[in-house]
């Protein structure tokens, strides 16, 4: 049976924008790894009439309905009551869940109010999903060829429950005995459309592993997912596909899984025992802020200078007055002098500089999005890269800082 999944998040706070629907993102990723397609995301407020309408709509188009939120003790927590009513099911008290809730209140030395017992009510005939980090249990129920799964709203409760119990329930329903292995490949400096075009034939013939492209935050990722009864064989299939992809677009690959382009650059510089300093104009210290967020940063990043005005570029950093007057602050020559000066000033192995036009107006007769990145390396000539970026002011700043990471990785470790 091909599953069509729908994630239904319950909570007026989601509609009001008070919190983000991170549960849907988490569940979609987890279901993708199981080979279950998510067709719809639905958000509905704490209203039984509208929730019932959402259930009826989902029943007509999906056969795996996963609900998040609305399992708590208050009057507006109506998820399981509304589902029970829609399915004609009774709610029964789960003794194990009630015992766990009573034990929790005893542990924290608080008296348990009567309404907390409500959290131990479950759909009659459902499989209970224990809550190891909270009180309300989850549950799963098969009814008329549709699987209903109810999970708590707080991510700290939902995520452990899914990974420890709900995932196994779904695997059993799928009849899967294979090992599932996923690996995320992260790319920078290539657009999603270009990456897909370069590996289009691999995507078209994908079976096992599957290849799922995803763009976001100025980067592109590919999620490779393989299934096999042998874990070693699943990993081998992943490695073979990755090798084919690397042969085509490997120059843009910077990391895997939870890596960021900043963490990869930091780790490479740390392992090489280099030191780094930055001179930042349009990025305003963004690069240094990101690079100093890792433990042990003081062994890698000696310092940074935010030189936003020409006066600071000249009188603090030491960029020549002639360069600023004749070439301008947004120029190849200025970026070169900034990188070399900050490297000398802070006595580091590497100096990197960022100067350009973030907008909204042009500067030094350079259009918005013009960026120069200078890289002063140990025992090499200083290199300056010119970029022409598009987007909002904030987007240009972030893309500039990430581009600096990408270029440093290429120049230092190619």
């Amino acid at each position: 049976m091909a599953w069509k999944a729908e994630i239904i998040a319950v909570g007026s706070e989601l509609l009001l924008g008070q919190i983000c629907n991170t549960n849907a993102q988490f569940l979609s990723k987890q279901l993708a790894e199981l080979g279950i397609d998510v067709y719809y995301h639905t958000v509905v407020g704490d209203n039984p009439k509208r929730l019932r309408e959402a259930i009826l709509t989902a029943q007509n188009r999906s056969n795996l309905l996963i609900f998040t939120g609305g399992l708590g003790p208050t009057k507006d927590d109506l998820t399981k009551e509304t589902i029970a009513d829609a399915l004609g099911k009774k709610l029964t008290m789960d003794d194990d869940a009630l015992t766990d809730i009573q034990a929790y209140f005893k542990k924290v030395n608080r008296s348990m109010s009567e309404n907390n017992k409500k959290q131990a009510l479950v759909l009659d005939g459902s499989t209970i999903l224990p809550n190891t980090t909270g009180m309300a249990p989850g549950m799963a129920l098969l009814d008329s060829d549709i699987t209903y799964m109810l999970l708590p709203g707080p991510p700290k409760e939902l995520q452990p429950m899914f990974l420890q119990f709900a995932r196994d329930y779904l695997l059993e329903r799928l009849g899967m005995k294979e090992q599932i292995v996923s690996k995320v490949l992260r790319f920078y400096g290539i657009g999603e459309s270009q990456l897909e075009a370069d590996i289009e034939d691999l995507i078209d013939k994908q079976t096992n592993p599957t290849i799922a492209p995803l763009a976001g935050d100025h980067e592109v990722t590919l999620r490779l997912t393989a299934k096999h009864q042998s874990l070693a064989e699943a990993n081998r299939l992943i490695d073979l596909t990755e090798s084919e992809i690397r042969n085509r677009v490997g120059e843009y690959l910077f990391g895997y899984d939870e890596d960021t382009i900043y963490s990869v650059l930091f780790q490479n510089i740390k392992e090489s025992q280099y030191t780094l300093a930055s001179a930042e104009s349009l990025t305003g210290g963004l690069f240094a802020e990101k690079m100093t967020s890792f433990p042990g940063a003081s062994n890698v990043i000696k310092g940074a200078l935010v030189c936003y005005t020409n006066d600071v570029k000249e009188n603090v950093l030491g960029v020549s007055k002639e360069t600023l007057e004749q070439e301008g602050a947004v120029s190849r020559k200025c970026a070169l002098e900034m990188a070399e000066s900050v490297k000398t000033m802070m006595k580091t192995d590497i100096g990197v500089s960022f100067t350009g036009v973030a907008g909204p107006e042009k500067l030094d007769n350079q259009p918005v999005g013009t960026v120069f990145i200078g890289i002063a390396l140990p025992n090499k000539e200083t290199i300056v890269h010119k970029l022409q970026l598009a987007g909002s002011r904030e987007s240009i700043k972030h893309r500039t800082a990430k581009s600096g990471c990408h270029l440093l990785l290429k120049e230092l470790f190619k």
Side-chain angles (χ1 to χ4, degrees):
M1 176 187 70
W3 276 17
K4 296 181 180 179
E6 180 160 350
I7 298 169
I8 302 175
V10 183
S12 297
E13 66 276 9
L14 293 165
L15 295 173
L16 293 170
Q18 294 171 343
I19 63 171
C20 295
N21 192 6
T22 56
N23 286 335
Q25 180 185 33
F26 169 80
L27 289 170
S28 289
K29 288 182 178 180
Q30 293 297 320
L31 293 172
E33 290 187 9
L34 299 180
I36 298 174
D37 295 321
V38 177
Y39 282 72
Y40 304 98
H41 281 186
T42 298
V43 180
V44 61
D46 300 308
N47 181 288
K49 180 177 180 293
R50 289 194 288 272
L51 177 54
R52 187 183 177 90
E53 291 171 353
I55 294 168
L56 293 174
T57 299
Q59 288 171 330
N60 289 323
R61 64 188 184 185
S62 307
N63 54 16
L64 173 59
L65 279 54
I66 301 182
F67 298 83
T68 68
L71 303 184
T74 61
K75 289 183 179 180
D76 61 356
D77 289 313
L78 298 168
T79 298
K80 55 193 172 187
E81 289 84 353
T82 306
I83 295 173
D85 181 62
L87 300 183
K89 296 285 184 181
K90 294 181 179 180
L91 288 173
T92 59
M93 187 68 66
D94 183 76
D95 292 336
D96 290 337
L98 181 59
T99 299
D100 290 341
I101 293 170
Q102 291 169 335
Y104 170 82
F105 278 97
K106 185 176 181 180
K107 180 180 178 181
V108 297
N109 197 27
R110 288 168 49 197
S111 59
M112 188 179 94
S113 58
E114 190 65 23
N115 64 342
N116 278 286
K117 290 183 179 180
K118 174 187 171 186
Q119 295 180 96
L121 289 172
V122 299
L123 292 168
D124 189 31
S126 62
T127 298
I128 306 306
L129 307 175
N131 191 337
T132 59
T133 54
M135 286 186 281
M139 62 207 81
L141 176 69
L142 175 62
D143 185 79
S144 301
D145 295 323
I146 298 177
T147 299
Y148 301 83
M149 181 172 285
L150 286 66
L151 302 173
K156 67 178 182 179
E157 298 180 27
L158 178 143
Q159 293 182 17
M161 182 183 292
F162 185 89
L163 295 173
Q164 294 170 22
F165 306 106
R167 188 176 185 274
D168 288 343
Y169 175 88
L170 293 174
L171 284 172
E172 185 176 345
R173 288 288 325 283
L174 286 165
M176 293 176 58
K177 295 182 180 178
E178 296 102 333
Q179 301 281 344
I180 300 174
V181 177
S182 285
K183 188 176 189 178
V184 175
L185 279 56
R186 298 190 173 276
F187 300 85
Y188 190 85
I190 185 172
E192 181 184 19
S193 58
Q194 185 60 55
L195 178 65
E196 287 195 35
D198 289 344
I199 62 169
E200 185 175 11
D201 59 313
L202 300 180
I203 294 174
D204 287 343
K205 70 179 184 182
Q206 64 175 317
T207 52
N208 188 22
T210 57
I211 305 171
L214 177 67
D217 203 19
H218 316 306
E219 300 172 10
V220 185
T221 63
L222 293 174
R223 178 183 289 274
L224 310 182
T225 304
K227 303 173 186 177
H228 201 276
Q229 289 186 340
S230 164
L231 181 60
E233 179 61 15
N235 280 311
R236 188 187 74 83
L237 292 171
I238 290 280
D239 291 342
L240 283 174
T241 302
E242 181 190 340
S243 180
E244 287 190 76
I245 293 170
R246 287 178 67 108
N247 286 338
R248 303 185 191 189
V249 289
E251 64 180 299
Y252 303 103
L253 178 68
F254 73 82
Y256 301 92
D257 298 323
E258 301 304 316
D259 288 338
T260 68
I261 198 161
Y262 295 105
S263 68
V264 171
L265 176 62
F266 180 87
Q267 195 59 36
N268 274 276
I269 293 178
K270 182 179 179 181
E271 290 175 358
S272 300
Q273 296 185 328
Y274 287 139
T275 54
L276 171 70
S278 64
E280 305 187 49
S281 185
L282 84 157
T283 48
L286 177 63
F287 175 83
E289 188 272 326
K290 296 291 187 181
M291 292 294 289
T292 54
S293 65
F294 306 106
S298 59
N299 295 320
V300 175
I301 313 299
K302 280 201 171 182
L305 178 62
V306 177
C307 45
Y308 216 67
T309 65
N310 284 4
D311 180 63
V312 175
K313 288 181 179 71
E314 178 185 353
N315 296 313
V316 179
L317 188 56
V319 176
S320 70
K321 185 175 183 179
E322 180 183 14
T323 294
L324 293 170
E325 290 180 347
Q326 296 182 6
E327 305 287 337
V330 183
S331 66
R332 189 176 298 274
K333 186 75 184 303
C334 183
L336 184 145
E337 290 187 27
M338 287 170 63
E340 291 181 342
S341 294
V342 80
K343 176 187 171 187
T344 300
M345 176 186 294
M346 302 198 183
K347 299 178 182 179
T348 58
D349 301 302
I350 306 162
V352 61
S353 65
F354 304 92
T355 184
V357 190
E361 299 175 349
K362 65 180 182 179
L363 180 67
D364 290 345
N365 290 318
Q366 298 279 15
V368 173
T370 303
V371 170
F372 292 91
I373 299 175
I375 300 174
L377 301 169
N379 305 314
K380 291 183 181 179
E381 288 188 8
T382 299
I383 302 162
V384 178
H385 294 268
K386 181 181 179 180
L387 307 176
Q388 193 62 51
L389 305 177
S392 66
R393 178 180 175 85
E394 197 66 19
S395 175
I396 289 171
K397 290 173 64 176
H398 280 275
R399 289 183 66 186
T400 297
K402 285 190 172 183
S403 294
C405 294
H406 175 63
L407 294 169
L408 277 165
L409 285 168
K410 286 182 65 176
E411 297 295 346
L412 282 166
F413 308 108
K414 59 185 177 182

